[in-house]
């Protein structure tokens, strides 16, 4: 029987894992190699310890209501998007509120995690740790790996001919902290994702010139949507998700791209994404910097010379002082043994991106090892809730031999080019969350809610899909979930209400009209929800067969 659980890392997913263990009456011991909680959210001026941490200017790109733990909302006066210090304070508040700190062993590095001698019977693990030069071995009934994606920087220097000739400074974004040391220098940023955009914008205020190189392009959206409301709260809704599931992918892509280009023509700004690409970043300053000329967009780098870079379009940038690679990270688990280490690095072999398919005992779980179209906190928390219940035998997963057969076949199909490997791509937020929630038994039933609590059903279906929804019913039910959902917009508006403005009667009357019109819309939506998933699949497939890519292009 599982009782003692080792939690590796005291970042945001490690903290939720500790709490979930306690909720299931397990005994967690968390190992954190630094001297504080928060993981990458704990800012330091240097990165000499090899840890990946936030840079000083970082601001969250998902709003607070979509980024909180499911039973611990942010304080109402917290800004919707906050600097890293504020976000770290929230993590500290969470840890102190639930009494998690006493379960963490700081300045302790995990050296190795290996199967215990009788693993096939007990599922136990030998965990070797080191604290201040002294090693210790302990046996645990289960292990939760909460180290995330950001352990090993991906620095593909071999892909850039001539890089060995370059005389300037070369660094990975992991080393980037503050812009001051780049004063009056010409900086080339290679790679355009969220970090690449942030670093380029940060540097433009102090560097002589910033060049931003991308092979693929990217869709740039703002943190706010129409009306100035947080973007995720307007689009990560069950109603919008239902529509996206019904529409053919060609039509959906066309609608999204038209919407993004309506805000700004990406082609004019050198941001046009390659055909079929869906990379998106939330950045409110990048477009302005390009417009002002402080950031210059460039194509992919073809080769480097001593003080310059040649780009794929034939242009040359001279007198480059620094190259910063924002090329992401490689999945790494230095404490695992082979072949488990290599297998787990291939996310395709992780059942629902949590459990390794090769283990006969499900006592090892990876938390937050995925890329999500939304905040990672609600997802990692839900994964931890599921994992702890699997450890206890309250939730089941398919046998190891079935999973390995399925994933091996899928790997072969990918190798033959029959299907694409999507394990490294962003996962749809609501689909994934609902899938894990269904395994636990906490997925909200909108039709049932409509019968019992129409007001709540309205908010759950048409409002933002916040983490509180997964505390309404089932194991881990939280009595405050309903109120948290009904007041989520109040907490969103609170930090903005710093100037008193007379109320307008127009908005109140308009709200009444919307509520009246919304009733038939809700009823129609409920009828759709009551249909089987097979109906959705058949209907969508038929639409896709009828609508050709040519016709979509005409639209």
């Amino acid at each position: 029987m599982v009782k003692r659980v080792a939690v590796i890392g005291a970042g945001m997913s490690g903290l939720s894992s500790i709490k979930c263990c306690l909720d299931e009456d397990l005994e967690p011991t968390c190992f954190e190699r630094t001297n504080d909680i928060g993981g990458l959210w704990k800012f330091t001026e240097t990165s000499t310890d090899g840890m990946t941490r936030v840079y000083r200017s970082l601001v969250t790109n998902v709003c607070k209501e979509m980024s909180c733990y499911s039973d611990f909302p942010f304080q109402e006066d917290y800004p919707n998007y906050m600097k890293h210090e504020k976000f770290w304070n929230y993590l500290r508040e969470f840890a102190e509120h639930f009494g998690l700190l006493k379960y963490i062993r700081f300045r302790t590095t995990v050296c190795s995690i290996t199967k215990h001698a009788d693993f096939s019977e007990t599922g136990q693990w030998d965990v070797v740790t080191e604290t201040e030069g002294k090693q210790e071995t302990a046996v645990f009934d289960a292990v939760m790996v909460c180290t995330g994606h950001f352990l090993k920087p991906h620095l593909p220097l071999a892909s850039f001919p001539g890089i060995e000739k370059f005389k300037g400074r070369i660094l990975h974004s992991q080393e980037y902290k503050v812009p001051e040391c780049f004063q009056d220098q010409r900086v080339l940023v290679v790679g355009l994702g969220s970090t690449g955009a942030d670093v380029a914008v940060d540097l433009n205020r102090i560097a002589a010139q910033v060049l931003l190189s991308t092979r693929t392009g990217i869709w740039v959206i703002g943190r706010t949507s129409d009306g100035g409301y947080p973007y995720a709260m307007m689009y990560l809704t069950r109603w919008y998700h239902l529509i996206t599931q019904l529409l053919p992918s060609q039509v959906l892509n066309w609608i999204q791209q038209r919407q993004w280009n309506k805000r700004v023509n990406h082609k004019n700004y050198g941001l046009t994404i390659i055909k079929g690409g869906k990379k998106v970043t939330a950045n409110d300053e990048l477009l302005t910097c390009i417009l002002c000329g402080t950031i210059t967009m460039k194509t992919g780098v073809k080769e480097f010379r001593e003080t310059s870079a040649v780009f794929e379009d034939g242009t040359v940038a001279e007198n480059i002082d620094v190259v910063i690679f924002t090329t992401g990270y490689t999945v790494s688990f230095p404490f695992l043994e082979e072949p488990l280490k290599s297998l787990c690095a291939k996310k395709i072999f992780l059942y629902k991106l949590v459990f390794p398919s090769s283990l006969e005992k499900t006592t090892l779980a990876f938390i937050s090892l995925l890329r999500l179209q939304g905040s990672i906190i609600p997802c990692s928390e839900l994964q931890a809730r599921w994992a702890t219940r699997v450890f206890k035998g309250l939730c089941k997963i398919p046998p190891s031999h079935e999973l390995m057969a399925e994933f091996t076949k899928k790997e072969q199909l990918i190798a033959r080019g029959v299907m694409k490997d999507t394990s490294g791509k962003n996962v749809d937020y609501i689909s994934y969350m609902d899938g894990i929630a269904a395994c636990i038994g906490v997925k909200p039933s909108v039709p049932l809610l409509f019968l019992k609590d129409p007001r709540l059903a309205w908010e759950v279906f048409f409002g933002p899909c916040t983490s509180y929804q997964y505390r309404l019913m089932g194991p881990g039910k939280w009595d405050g979930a309903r109120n948290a959902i009904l007041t989520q917009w109040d907490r969103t508006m609170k930090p903005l209400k710093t100037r008193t403005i007379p109320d307008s009667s127009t908005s109140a009357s308009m709200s009444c009209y919307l509520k009246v019109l919304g009733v038939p819309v809700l009823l129609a939506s409920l009828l759709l929800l009551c249909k089987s998933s097979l109906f959705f699949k058949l209907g969508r497939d038929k639409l896709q067969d009828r609508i050709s890519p040519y016709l979509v292009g005409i639209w």
Side-chain angles (χ1 to χ4, degrees):
M1 179 180 177
V2 172
K3 194 65 177 176
R4 300 187 65 218
V5 180
V7 178
I8 317 303
M12 55 188 182
S13 57
L15 294 176
S16 61
S17 295
I18 299 171
K19 180 181 177 295
C20 290
C21 285
L22 296 174
D23 290 343
E24 294 295 340
D25 294 322
L26 300 175
E27 299 173 0
T29 301
C30 179
F31 301 105
E32 169 57 45
R33 62 173 171 166
T34 68
N35 62 355
D36 212 336
I37 64 167
L40 62 85
W41 287 98
K42 180 64 177 178
F43 173 74
T44 58
E45 292 287 346
T46 62
S47 57
T48 53
D49 58 1
M51 285 282 293
T52 301
R53 302 180 189 274
V54 294
Y55 31 92
R56 189 176 63 191
S57 63
L58 186 136
V59 176
T60 57
N61 57 13
V62 181
C63 62
K64 67 178 182 181
E65 286 301 306
M66 303 298 293
S67 302
C68 65
Y69 295 108
S70 60
D71 55 358
F72 193 73
F74 279 90
Q75 296 180 33
E76 62 177 11
D77 60 346
Y78 270 42
N80 286 285
Y81 296 99
M82 61 198 76
K83 295 200 70 174
H84 58 82
E85 304 104 310
K86 202 79 171 178
F87 190 82
W88 184 85
N89 285 340
Y90 170 73
L91 298 179
R92 168 66 69 171
E93 291 167 1
F94 175 77
E96 291 178 346
H97 179 79
F98 291 105
L100 308 181
L101 297 177
K102 61 185 177 183
Y103 298 97
I104 305 173
R105 291 179 54 184
F106 293 106
R107 296 187 180 88
T108 301
T109 301
V110 176
C111 303
S112 68
I113 300 174
T114 56
K115 292 179 181 178
H116 194 55
D118 58 355
F119 178 84
S120 59
E121 295 179 6
T122 64
Q124 291 181 327
W125 298 87
D126 293 327
V127 178
V128 179
T129 59
E130 182 175 323
T131 306
E132 297 179 351
K134 181 181 179 181
Q135 286 199 350
E136 179 183 342
T137 302
V139 178
F140 288 90
D141 300 313
V143 175
M144 302 176 79
V145 179
C146 306
T147 53
H149 281 98
F150 306 104
L151 276 182
K152 184 179 179 181
H154 176 56
L155 194 59
L157 298 182
S159 301
F160 295 90
I163 190 68
E164 69 282 354
K165 302 176 184 176
F166 182 67
K167 292 184 176 180
R169 184 182 174 194
I170 298 172
L171 65 151
H172 188 273
S173 55
Q174 184 197 46
E175 303 173 60
Y176 181 83
K177 297 297 176 183
V178 295
E180 282 76 14
C181 56
F182 302 94
Q183 178 80 42
D184 298 328
Q185 296 184 339
R186 287 174 56 83
V187 183
L188 170 61
V189 179
V190 178
L192 179 51
S194 295
T195 301
D198 280 353
V199 169
V201 167
D202 200 28
L203 286 168
N204 97 94
R205 301 180 179 90
I206 204 162
Q209 179 64 52
V210 179
L211 306 170
L212 183 52
S213 169
T214 174
R215 286 193 171 100
T216 60
I218 200 167
W219 296 108
V220 180
I221 62 174
R223 288 180 170 84
T224 57
S225 62
D226 296 340
Y229 298 105
Y231 186 90
M233 293 187 74
M234 299 301 292
Y235 289 100
L236 284 180
T237 69
R238 294 186 178 279
W239 162 244
Y240 187 78
H241 182 256
L242 175 64
I243 298 301
T244 62
Q245 296 300 299
L246 287 171
L247 285 176
S249 58
Q250 298 98 325
V251 176
L252 181 61
N253 290 339
W254 177 79
I255 292 173
Q256 287 180 332
Q257 292 173 17
R258 186 174 183 272
Q259 182 181 12
W260 292 333
N261 268 325
K262 186 177 180 181
R263 178 175 178 245
V264 59
N265 188 319
H266 283 64
K267 182 178 180 180
N268 292 342
Y269 282 72
L271 295 165
T272 301
I273 201 163
I274 58 174
K275 186 176 180 181
K278 291 187 177 181
K279 283 179 64 178
V280 181
T281 187
N283 193 293
D284 300 297
E285 300 179 70
L286 178 61
L287 300 174
T288 301
C289 292
I290 296 173
L291 196 62
C292 295
T294 54
I295 292 179
T296 302
M297 295 303 303
K298 304 297 292 183
T299 58
V301 176
K302 183 180 179 181
E303 67 171 314
F304 283 96
R305 295 172 182 170
E306 290 186 351
T307 59
S308 61
V310 181
F311 298 95
E312 292 172 348
D313 60 1
T315 59
V316 180
E318 301 285 356
N319 302 318
I320 295 176
D321 300 298
V322 184
V323 177
I324 302 177
F325 285 90
T326 60
T327 44
Y329 295 80
T330 302
V331 176
S332 175
F333 308 110
F335 42 76
L336 292 181
E337 60 182 341
E338 293 290 0
L340 185 60
K341 179 193 295 187
S342 299
L343 187 76
C344 293
K346 298 179 181 179
K347 295 181 185 179
I348 191 176
F349 283 97
L350 295 178
Y351 180 62
K352 294 189 180 298
L353 298 172
V354 175
F355 291 103
S357 55
S358 62
L359 297 177
E360 60 270 38
K361 296 290 185 179
T362 52
T363 55
L364 175 65
F366 292 86
I367 308 300
S368 76
L369 190 65
L370 79 168
R371 301 183 186 280
L372 200 66
Q373 295 173 351
S375 173
I376 196 65
I377 277 189
C379 179
S380 63
E381 181 190 32
L382 204 56
Q383 287 179 327
R385 290 172 65 186
W386 180 43
T388 51
R389 292 184 67 79
V390 170
F391 292 160
K392 292 190 67 175
L394 300 174
C395 294
K396 303 293 184 182
I397 71 172
S400 173
H401 66 274
E402 291 183 11
L403 293 177
M404 282 300 294
E406 177 187 345
F407 295 145
T408 300
K409 182 178 180 181
K410 186 181 292 187
E411 185 181 42
Q412 292 171 349
L413 292 174
I414 292 172
R416 288 161 50 192
V418 177
M419 66 181 295
K420 293 183 178 180
D421 182 7
T422 59
S423 60
K425 294 186 177 181
N426 284 358
V427 177
D428 180 80
Y429 181 81
I430 295 180
S431 294
Y432 185 81
M433 294 283 284
D434 277 357
I436 299 296
C439 293
I440 306 171
V442 297
K443 178 183 175 182
S445 171
V446 177
L448 183 61
L449 281 176
F450 178 71
L451 295 175
K452 292 184 174 181
D453 193 339
R455 183 188 175 195
L456 179 61
W458 175 276
E459 292 295 335
V460 168
F461 188 64
F462 287 105
C465 186
T466 46
S467 58
Y468 319 124
Q469 294 190 11
Y470 302 103
R471 291 285 184 178
L472 287 170
M473 57 188 66
K477 178 182 177 180
W478 176 44
D479 292 338
R482 181 183 187 274
N483 184 64
I485 293 171
L486 296 180
T487 57
Q488 57 197 4
W489 282 107
D490 295 335
R491 287 188 298 279
T492 300
M493 293 294 104
K494 175 66 176 179
L496 303 178
K497 302 297 183 180
T498 56
R499 173 175 171 245
T500 304
I501 301 174
D503 291 336
S504 171
S505 59
T506 305
S507 60
S509 60
M510 181 62 70
S511 176
C512 292
Y513 286 123
L514 288 175
K515 289 179 180 178
V516 172
L517 291 172
V519 172
V521 174
L522 177 59
L523 289 173
S525 302
L526 288 170
L527 289 174
L528 286 175
L529 280 174
C530 290
K531 300 293 183 182
S532 67
S533 59
L534 178 61
F535 172 82
F536 283 134
K537 186 177 187 299
L538 290 174
R540 183 177 59 201
D541 292 344
K542 287 181 179 180
L543 281 172
Q544 287 177 331
D545 291 339
R546 291 179 182 178
I547 300 176
S548 67
Y550 172 74
L551 184 56
V552 173
I554 295 296
W555 288 353

